[in-house]
Amino acid sequence: MAERVHRDFLTIPDFSRRELDGLLTLAEQMRTGAYVARPLAGQGLAMIFVKSSTRTRVSFEVGAVQLGAHPMFLSSRDVQLGRGETIADTARVLARYCQGIMIRTFAHSDCEELALHADVPVINGLTDRHHPCQILADVLTVVQQLGTYEGKVIAWIGDGNNMANSWIDAAWRLGFSLRLACPEGYDPDPAVLARAQATADVRLVRDPAEAVEGAHVVNTDVWASMGQEQEQADRVRAFAGFQVDAPLMRRATREAIFLHCLPAHRGEEVASEVIDGPWSRVWDEAENRLHVQKAVLAALMGGVPIT
Ligand code: CP
Ligand code: NVA
């Protein structure tokens, strides 16, 4: 196949603010049913999973079908990647059959390596460092629920993990305020944080109450991410006092909503009264994965304009 110009989506800043707004608009058209085209008819989407998934796998698979493409779930346990075939060779071969590749893996550098060698768009479905599709869905949820992300204060409570890093990227690109409360030793990526703090209102504090003061959105995630299972006991100790419960939610603004990318551990990072209570928008948030990813697939694989 002749080399062609393509773009990847590995982190939020791969798109300009204008393009991100365009993706959100397109995603909303997908949600309401206003967009019914099948720009990916006849195309193939390879979906490599080195880590587990419920939402990412199902939403990409259904979304690709709705746009006319054929998605392929490729567990690293089954494909030759799991037996030592290199990422570069896997990328070169898959790009000969498929018009796009989605990957969920551990090292972010593996995702970058795949993108470097694939002559088709590569989409990051989560790495240890970033989860851009989820944050796009979260920002769409904020816009749906609060009308806009502009002027909003987002609070992040807990681990400075892949989700936190992508929220920081989004605050940098889109200009909303972000308050992160992370226990010492569990900070976000210093380079991601420093880049954002040069121009955006992004603050890292140690006290969850300080972070949620005046917040419109309160957001958390598991204390031990995929690959950190053996740290669970240490992390439960380190994150004591970081549970999002009703008293903490009451410190936020009156209209505040609660988001969680899921899967959730009730009684650890979030109390049942919050995730199952009136603040919670987590099911809409999960649904939005489908809509934003369809917008990304349509833009990157189908050439659908977003500006
Ligand atoms: N939020 C999210 O990415 O969920 P899965 O791990 O189920 O894909
Ligand atoms: N931080 C979590 C997100 C899961 C969607 C993890 O990486 O496991």
Side-chain angles (χ1 to χ4, degrees):
M1 188 201 273
E3 205 168 324
R4 65 181 185 86
V5 179
H6 68 272
R7 290 181 65 181
D8 306 307
F9 182 41
L10 306 192
T11 66
I12 289 282
D14 288 348
F15 289 114
S16 67
R17 177 175 178 170
R18 201 158 154 245
E19 289 171 327
L20 289 168
D21 286 338
L23 283 170
L24 295 173
T25 302
L26 184 57
E28 190 58 17
Q29 289 167 359
M30 305 273 187
R31 186 183 72 82
T32 61
Y35 187 95
V36 291
R38 291 163 62 86
L40 308 188
Q43 296 195 8
L45 173 69
M47 309 193 304
I48 303 172
F49 282 89
V50 187
K51 287 177 174 172
S52 305
S53 170
T54 297
R55 282 143 287 268
T56 304
R57 182 206 169 158
V58 176
S59 55
F60 263 106
E61 194 159 329
V62 170
V65 168
Q66 289 178 354
L67 294 172
H70 180 98
M72 276 151 283
F73 172 71
L74 306 174
S75 161
S76 61
R77 281 187 298 277
D78 303 326
V79 292
Q80 299 286 10
L81 192 61
R83 294 185 54 253
E85 185 166 18
T86 67
I87 292 170
D89 288 355
T90 303
R92 292 180 183 111
V93 171
L94 289 178
R96 296 291 176 112
Y97 307 130
C98 299
Q99 287 66 43
I101 306 172
M102 197 280 315
I103 181 166
R104 164 169 288 199
T105 191
F106 289 89
H108 189 73
S109 56
D110 286 352
C111 185
E112 291 172 332
E113 170 89 355
L114 188 81
L116 186 67
H117 295 282
D119 290 335
V120 296
V122 170
I123 299 168
N124 177 1
L126 180 148
T127 62
D128 286 345
R129 205 183 312 153
H130 291 284
H131 198 2
C133 294
Q134 180 70 54
I135 269 42
L136 211 50
D138 295 2
V139 175
L140 180 63
T141 313
V142 171
V143 174
Q144 288 166 354
Q145 298 292 328
L146 305 177
T148 177
Y149 57 73
E150 272 183 65
K152 300 300 178 196
V153 179
I154 315 287
W156 176 265
I157 309 299
D159 194 14
N161 60 12
N162 41 14
M163 285 287 298
N165 291 331
S166 290
W167 267 116
I168 294 168
D169 276 350
W172 180 55
R173 261 294 185 255
L174 299 176
F176 53 77
S177 299
L178 184 64
R179 310 273 177 262
L180 304 116
C182 308
E184 215 149 348
Y186 296 93
D187 288 355
D189 184 286
V192 170
L193 186 62
R195 178 174 66 178
Q197 285 181 325
T199 55
D201 179 24
V202 175
R203 259 200 284 146
L204 174 62
V205 298
R206 299 290 172 218
D207 178 8
E210 189 181 341
V212 301
E213 207 69 57
H216 303 96
V217 179
V218 179
N219 200 193
T220 190
D221 187 11
V222 291
W223 290 340
S225 284
M226 288 181 276
Q228 298 171 335
E229 289 78 6
Q230 71 294 347
E231 297 174 30
Q232 174 72 19
D234 288 346
R235 284 172 171 266
V236 166
R237 276 190 291 277
F239 287 85
F242 280 74
Q243 184 184 91
V244 178
D245 56 13
L248 189 68
M249 285 303 299
R250 288 196 196 99
R251 288 174 168 272
T253 57
R254 280 176 62 88
E255 76 268 34
I257 59 169
F258 172 76
L259 298 181
H260 190 310
C261 63
L262 307 175
H265 294 94
R266 289 168 174 79
E268 288 186 25
E269 77 276 5
V270 61
S272 303
E273 62 197 1
V274 171
I275 192 166
D276 301 316
W279 295 284
S280 180
R281 299 294 185 277
V282 299
W283 313 120
D284 292 324
E285 179 186 8
E287 178 189 324
N288 283 331
R289 293 293 303 278
L290 173 67
H291 310 308
V292 296
Q293 286 156 199
K294 282 175 70 182
V296 170
L297 292 172
L300 295 186
M301 290 170 65
V304 173
I306 49 169
T307 54

